[in-house]
Amino acid sequence: MYEDIWAIEHAISLLDWDIQTYMPQSGIKARGEAIARLNNLRRKLLLGIRRDIEKLEPKNDVDRGLKRVLEREYKYYDAVPEELEMKLHRITSEATVVWRNAKAKADFNVFKPYLEQIVEIEREIANRLGYKDHPYSALLDRYEEGFTVSDADSVFNQLLPSLSKILENVEDKFTRKYRFEDEKYDVFQMSKTIEYIAYEILKMPKDRFRIDVSPHPFTTSMNRNDVRITVRYEGYDFKRVLYSLIHESGHAIYELQIDPGLEYSPLASAPSMGLHESQSRFWENIVGRSYEFVKTIYPLLNIKDSVDGVYYYVNGVKRQPIRVDADEVTYNFHIAIRYEIEKRAIEGSLEVSEFSSLFNDLMDKYLNIRPKNDGEGVLQDVHWSQGSFGYFPTYTLGNVIAGMVYYHMKRDIGFDVINIEKMKEWLREKIHKYGAIYSVKELQMRSFGETYNPSRLLDYLKEKYNA
Ligand code: MG
């Protein structure tokens, strides 16, 4: 009964992918209209099978999963009327353009009135969805099922003090400046290297996976036999393109390994954003930045420096203001700042006019630096202009779960980055094949016997940075 809905989702994915890769700019108006209509059609069809889903007596885990996933959607539809969705959609479409200008001019005041409206709508959505402990939990749950403010507080309270200690004690070979940061590379040559790493080293399947170029790297899956990623060639500082390739490939490996039996159903996807992100970060950081992996790709890079030089360059640690440029040690501070701001805004104890000063104060507290202006401070990310309150913490959950994957993999089969197939096989059995059959918390319990345990990530970082 889900196949027609699946077909619409399939079409929307391709239309979205095309916007970000090949569509001529002026096509956006008609494309936006087409996607909005397809989404409405999807909503209608989904509501059309509501009775069947409610009547369904689950006979197995797949039925239970189906019921759980679709009932979450119905709960959202019941709570958030179409008019409110449309209102948010209209404001965020405009706000994204305004935000881009505000960021370029480093002028928060231009963006402020839009952000105020967005926060107000997000608070309304939280209240309509309902919550037990804290309104922000309702928004967290949209991206990470069952994850609450008290879970998030516990994760950050465990992480931050230890990360501060690691940061203080990082050896200076990690904090030194490496010349590759400013060095240019030949884009054509690099694209050949990137393809080689994807297909020959990470063993991505050529008939089910492709790589294109877009301004912001991303992964999309039409279905498990058509998974696509993009990268961006900036032309300098080659670690940027190299590790975005490995990051997106990590997302792709997840999609490629979902059980074929779940195809055409709403279970053919990850149960949460944090779990998906854990796979990209496991491959990018824990595998891709390991000494053994750097040694493996070193000959392909064709550079004069030593393996050690490249290893310290790709693992550099720096107190700097930009989240997307952050390293493994500082990254979670950038998220903690945004978490604090979102939580307080949604509970109503922080005005939008105070975002900028709180952002800068927290940056100072955690990293001992102050952004030069709002462009490299509170305005740096697109998320708030799109109304994605509750999303940022999933990046940290990705790091936390990646640490758990490392710990449990090492214990089960050892950690051997040369044997890529063996790692993929283990990940398929522990995580990927289940799709969304189990909620993210249940899947962690089944596979690891623990949920969101930050000590695994901290142990890994202490081992790596010798701190
Ligand atoms: Mg990602």
Side-chain angles (χ1 to χ4, degrees):
M1 58 188 162
Y2 195 78
E3 287 82 352
D4 290 341
I5 300 164
W6 168 84
I8 292 174
E9 291 167 351
H10 185 78
I12 293 174
S13 312
L14 185 58
L15 295 179
D16 260 331
W17 172 84
D18 179 64
I19 290 177
Q20 301 186 63
T21 51
Y22 296 107
M23 189 189 74
Q25 221 181 4
S26 298
I28 191 64
K29 200 165 168 233
R31 182 61 53 86
E33 181 70 21
I35 291 176
R37 284 172 185 271
L38 285 170
N39 267 321
N40 278 337
L41 206 52
R42 177 182 179 274
R43 184 178 178 133
K44 275 191 199 122
L45 289 175
L46 203 52
L47 289 168
I49 60 167
R50 184 170 190 163
R51 267 171 186 263
D52 300 320
I53 296 299
E54 280 165 356
K55 276 195 306 207
L56 177 73
E57 303 264 8
K59 286 186 220 49
N60 51 41
D61 287 359
V62 173
D63 288 352
R64 265 184 292 278
L66 197 71
K67 218 171 147 83
R68 188 191 92 256
V69 165
L70 292 182
E71 281 178 349
R72 267 171 69 77
E73 295 228 36
Y74 295 136
K75 186 188 160 213
Y76 185 81
Y77 286 163
D78 285 344
V80 183
E82 254 180 285
E83 308 87 71
L84 187 60
E85 274 261 284
M86 286 308 293
K87 190 174 161 196
L88 181 64
H89 181 74
R90 272 195 302 275
I91 291 170
T92 54
S93 308
E94 213 183 320
T96 307
V97 180
V98 173
W99 162 77
R100 202 168 296 130
N101 286 326
K103 180 181 173 177
K105 286 193 233 147
D107 185 356
F108 185 67
N109 283 328
V110 180
F111 181 51
K112 192 177 141 249
Y114 290 85
L115 190 53
E116 278 167 345
Q117 291 182 66
I118 292 169
V119 168
E120 201 181 294
I121 296 176
E122 292 293 312
R123 290 177 63 181
E124 185 177 348
I125 290 175
N127 284 323
R128 285 171 172 273
L129 284 170
Y131 51 85
K132 284 204 191 85
D133 56 338
H134 192 290
Y136 185 55
S137 293
L139 301 184
L140 289 172
D141 174 79
R142 294 177 66 191
Y143 303 102
E144 195 75 7
E145 185 177 356
F147 190 74
T148 64
V149 164
S150 76
D151 292 331
D153 284 341
S154 144
V155 166
F156 285 112
N157 289 339
Q158 287 179 72
L159 275 181
L160 302 183
S162 296
L163 286 174
S164 290
K165 265 195 213 119
I166 296 174
L167 183 58
E168 268 166 44
N169 294 318
V170 166
E171 296 167 88
D172 71 40
K173 52 193 177 202
F174 286 107
T175 54
R176 223 173 278 158
K177 183 167 166 106
Y178 287 89
R179 63 182 168 83
F180 301 117
E181 286 172 41
D182 307 311
E183 222 163 81
K184 293 194 170 133
Y185 59 76
D186 180 80
V187 170
F188 179 74
Q189 203 66 45
M190 186 56 76
S191 71
K192 293 290 147 203
T193 306
I194 287 294
E195 276 178 29
Y196 188 90
I197 293 173
Y199 294 112
E200 303 304 327
I201 295 190
L202 297 175
K203 306 266 194 300
M204 304 305 282
K206 273 197 172 127
D207 56 334
R208 302 168 58 211
F209 168 84
R210 60 175 284 138
I211 308 170
D212 292 271
V213 170
S214 74
H216 302 285
F218 70 99
T219 302
T220 188
S221 166
M222 311 300 154
N223 83 334
R224 65 185 301 283
N225 288 314
D226 180 358
V227 179
R228 307 177 186 200
I229 68 164
T230 64
V231 292
R232 170 172 66 166
Y233 296 98
E234 283 137 323
Y236 70 98
D237 198 8
F238 71 85
K239 71 173 183 302
R240 301 168 76 93
V241 64
L242 179 61
Y243 285 95
S244 76
L245 168 85
I246 304 174
H247 180 100
E248 300 308 332
S249 296
H251 282 302
I253 290 167
Y254 196 152
E255 297 289 338
L256 289 161
Q257 300 207 113
I258 292 175
D259 193 297
L262 299 176
E263 248 185 312
Y264 314 119
S265 93
L267 299 179
S269 67
S272 82
M273 300 305 294
L275 192 63
H276 220 307
E277 192 66 9
S278 76
Q279 298 306 288
S280 56
R281 284 171 192 247
F282 174 75
W283 285 97
E284 175 192 350
N285 293 331
I286 300 181
V287 176
R289 293 183 209 268
S290 68
Y291 193 82
E292 283 304 309
F293 193 86
V294 170
K295 217 165 94 185
T296 307
I297 59 169
Y298 172 77
L300 305 169
L301 301 170
N302 209 2
I303 41 180
K304 289 182 198 81
D305 213 312
S306 63
V307 176
D308 281 32
V310 177
Y311 175 74
Y312 291 116
Y313 154 67
V314 302
N315 284 292
V317 174
K318 204 184 270 174
R319 297 168 196 258
Q320 56 78 40
I322 309 298
R323 175 185 63 83
V324 295
D325 292 341
D327 52 80
E328 288 181 83
V329 179
T330 58
Y331 192 92
N332 297 299
F333 291 116
H334 294 271
I335 300 305
I337 293 169
R338 289 152 178 81
Y339 167 66
E340 188 73 20
I341 290 175
E342 291 192 355
K343 183 173 75 173
R344 293 192 46 194
I346 299 301
E347 76 185 14
S349 71
L350 184 75
E351 300 292 329
V352 170
S353 59
E354 299 166 310
F355 271 34
S356 169
S357 58
L358 181 58
F359 189 99
N360 296 341
D361 290 348
L362 289 172
M363 188 73 85
D364 201 355
K365 175 179 163 192
Y366 294 136
L367 294 175
N368 218 343
I369 52 169
R370 288 193 90 83
K372 279 200 296 291
N373 55 51
D374 287 338
E376 63 166 50
V378 71
L379 286 172
Q380 66 180 275
D381 295 306
V382 69
H383 302 56
W384 289 335
S385 74
Q386 296 174 337
S388 305
F389 279 71
Y391 189 99
F392 277 122
T394 68
Y395 293 124
T396 284
L397 301 183
N399 293 328
V400 165
I401 300 173
M404 291 161 60
V405 167
Y406 172 66
Y407 172 85
H408 291 279
M409 178 186 278
K410 202 167 150 186
R411 230 181 41 168
D412 277 10
I413 58 164
F415 182 69
D416 174 12
V417 304
I418 307 306
N419 201 336
I420 296 283
E421 297 292 10
K422 195 174 165 195
M423 283 201 285
K424 284 189 187 173
E425 168 77 29
W426 188 88
L427 291 169
R428 179 172 66 221
E429 292 306 308
K430 288 287 174 183
I431 301 174
H432 302 165
K433 70 174 185 188
Y434 301 105
I437 294 177
Y438 305 112
S439 74
V440 59
K441 277 187 173 171
E442 194 183 346
L443 185 56
Q444 288 176 79
M445 277 316 284
R446 294 175 73 99
S447 296
F448 306 132
E450 57 182 7
T451 59
Y452 306 112
N453 179 357
S455 71
R456 309 298 184 203
L457 175 68
L458 289 168
D459 288 345
Y460 154 77
L461 289 173
K462 282 178 206 158
E463 173 188 307
K464 180 167 193 171
Y465 290 98
N466 203 11

